[in-house]
């Protein structure tokens, strides 16, 4: 049970998918909201369509809510919707799940108009626009495996040969393991796989060396303000190459290793510069494969495995940033 906070009550808004879709035992945003509510903060829900602008002022149509883990339903709205300028809120959590499509992009542009001297936004809207969850890893060449980004099938086949006949291919806008393939030189379906993933060379994709350590698990490392908070391994089923929870990966307790800390040290200056305060790193063996920034998950699973309260540390951080603005 987390300790009751003595922090000043604040107003926290959460931009997210509909509350009725939330999985109360898995969703990271849900426990952020629960923790904030437990501390006495007012919590508000809104979706992407609830943002609009009149001139330079951005307005949010929000509904104040109360949550419970055990209730059915697990949420209750306290009003029918009220409109406030963004600066009415002490902090705004941008937690809309992928895809980071045009509607998501436009929402970040509206959020960028919030007065940063009055409202703290996690993660920073400009950072969210900058950081494609696949391509952002290219900023850290010493942390990633051999990687190719291309439209072209012949170039992919040449890369496959360079990597010893095995590689992972994935779309740049995928999430939850969507569209990820293990491509092998001996597979008679290789041509069809590359045609499908590149959409006949009309879509830019990423290819990476296949890392055999993936059979032991794909690590999700939760990072706050550039520092590791905790991690777990997502171990694939025997009949799967992907360890993602969405496709049946099993969550297993794991330590934060010296290499994990080294990777965080490499990333920290850039994450701080881009305002990417809360991220989820995907690590296989000694290599960073993705930097998840939109709505990283895994907090509840790590909480259960390690007997910790990671969401408490995140709300501590947000409270401290808000307090600094109010001085």
């Amino acid at each position: 049970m987390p300790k009751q906070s003595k922090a000043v009550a604040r107003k926290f808004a959460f931009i997210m998918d509909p509350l009725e879709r939330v999985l109360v035992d898995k969703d990271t945003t849900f426990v952020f909201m629960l923790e904030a509510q437990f501390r006495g903060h007012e919590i508000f829900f809104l979706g992407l369509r609830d943002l609009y602008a009149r001139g330079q002022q951005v307005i949010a149509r929000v509904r104040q809510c109360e949550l419970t883990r055990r209730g059915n339903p697990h949420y209750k709205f306290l009003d029918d919707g009220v409109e406030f300028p963004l600066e009415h809120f002490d902090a705004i959590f941008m937690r809309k799940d992928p895809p980071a499509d045009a509607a998501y992009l436009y929402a970040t542009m509206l959020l960028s108009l919030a007065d940063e001297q009055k409202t703290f936004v996690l993660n920073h809207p400009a950072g969210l626009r900058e950081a494609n969850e696949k391509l952002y890893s290219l900023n850290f060449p010493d942390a990633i495996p051999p990687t190719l980004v291309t439209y072209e099938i012949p170039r992919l086949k040449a890369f496959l040969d360079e990597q010893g006949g095995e590689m992972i291919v994935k779309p740049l806008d995928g999430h939850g393991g969507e569209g990820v393939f293990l491509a092998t030189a001996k597979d008679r379906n290789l041509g069809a796989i590359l045609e499908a993933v590149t959409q006949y060379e009309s879509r830019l994709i990423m290819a990476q060396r296949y890392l055999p350590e993936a059979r032991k698990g794909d690590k999700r490392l939760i990072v706050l303000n550039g520092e590791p908070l905790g991690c777990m391994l997502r171990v694939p089923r025997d009949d799967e190459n992907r360890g993602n929870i969405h496709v049946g990966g099993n969550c297993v307790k794991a330590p934060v290793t010296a290499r994990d800390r080294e990777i965080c040290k490499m990333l920290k200056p850039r994450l701080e510069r881009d305002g990417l305060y809360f991220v989820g790193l995907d690590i296989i063996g000694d290599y960073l494969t993705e930097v998840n920034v939109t709505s990283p998950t895994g907090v509840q699973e790590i909480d259960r495995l390690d007997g910790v309260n990671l969401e408490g540390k995140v709300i501590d951080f947000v409270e401290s940033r808000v307090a600094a603005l109010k001085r």
Side-chain angles (χ1 to χ4, degrees), residues 207-234:
Q208 291 181 321
R209 174 189 289 173
Y210 173 68
L211 302 171
E213 296 91 338
R215 296 309 308 164
K216 298 178 181 178
D218 176 355
K219 179 176 284 186
R220 166 54 57 86
L221 178 66
I222 298 295
V223 176
L224 177 65
N225 203 28
E227 300 294 336
L229 280 190
C231 65
M232 64 177 174
L233 285 176
R234 299 167 297 180

Side-chain angles (χ1 to χ4, degrees), residues 21 88 104 118 201 249 265 270 303 317:
R21 297 186 197 168
H88 176 78
Y104 182 92
K118 297 179 179 179
E201 299 188 315
K265 187 175 181 180
R270 180 63 183 258
D303 279 353
F317 172 74

Side-chain angles (χ1 to χ4, degrees), residues 142-312:
D142 292 335
I144 62 174
T147 299
L148 173 72
V149 178
T150 184
Y151 292 90
E152 301 174 20
I153 290 175
R155 197 178 301 278
L156 286 164
K157 288 182 175 179
F159 180 77
L160 176 62
D161 289 340
E162 292 170 11
Q163 305 313 314
E166 291 185 314
M167 67 181 179
I168 295 293
V169 291
K170 49 192 173 183
L172 300 180
D173 58 354
H175 57 95
E178 175 186 315
V180 177
F181 291 93
L182 171 62
T184 64
K186 296 180 180 179
D187 189 346
R188 293 179 181 175
N189 291 308
L190 175 62
I193 289 171
L194 298 182
E195 288 168 359
V197 75
T198 65
Q199 295 180 353
Y200 294 93
E201 299 188 315
S202 69
R203 178 170 69 169
L204 193 65
I205 70 156
M206 175 176 282
Q208 291 181 321
R209 174 189 289 173
Y210 173 68
L211 302 171
E213 296 91 338
R215 296 309 308 164
K216 298 178 181 178
D218 176 355
K219 179 176 284 186
R220 166 54 57 86
L221 178 66
I222 298 295
V223 176
L224 177 65
N225 203 28
E227 300 294 336
L229 280 190
C231 65
M232 64 177 174
L233 285 176
R234 299 167 297 180
V235 180
R237 302 191 319 247
D238 290 342
D239 63 344
E240 261 285 358
N241 285 302
R242 300 168 297 175
N244 304 76
I245 298 170
H246 295 83
V247 294
N250 183 38
C251 298
V252 175
K253 183 180 175 71
V256 176
T257 67
R259 175 59 174 171
D260 296 336
R261 295 185 186 280
E262 183 182 0
I263 290 173
C264 288
K265 187 175 181 180
M266 292 181 203
L267 271 61
K268 185 174 181 176
R270 180 63 183 258
L271 293 176
E272 288 181 343
R273 191 192 84 182
D274 291 340
L276 297 173
Y277 311 104
F278 182 78
V279 303
L281 307 184
D282 290 348
I283 297 173
I284 298 176
D286 289 334
Y287 293 103
L288 173 71
T289 59
E290 292 185 19
V291 182
N292 296 272
V293 302
T294 51
S295 58
T297 59
V299 162
Q300 291 210 54
E301 291 81 0
I302 296 169
D303 279 353
R304 287 191 287 269
L305 289 167
D306 292 348
V308 293
N309 176 31
L310 298 189
E311 62 273 22

Side-chain angles (χ1 to χ4, degrees), residues 1-4 12 14 16 19 22-44 65-71 74-76 93 300 303 309 311-312 315 319:
M1 185 76 172
K3 288 184 178 181
Q4 185 84 39
F12 289 173
F14 294 82
M16 57 187 294
L19 275 172
V22 163
L23 300 176
V24 298
D25 292 327
K26 293 184 177 181
D27 193 273
T28 292
T29 309
F30 183 73
V31 289
F32 287 172
M33 298 171 85
L34 275 181
E35 179 71 19
Q37 176 181 278
F38 178 78
R39 297 181 183 210
H41 302 305
E42 296 177 42
I43 58 173
F44 299 84
C65 55
E66 290 181 353
L67 305 182
T68 176
R69 189 183 285 279
R70 297 180 178 83
H74 52 272
Y75 66 96
K76 177 174 69 174
F93 294 70
Q300 291 210 54
D303 279 353
N309 176 31
E311 62 273 22
I315 300 302
E319 287 175 346

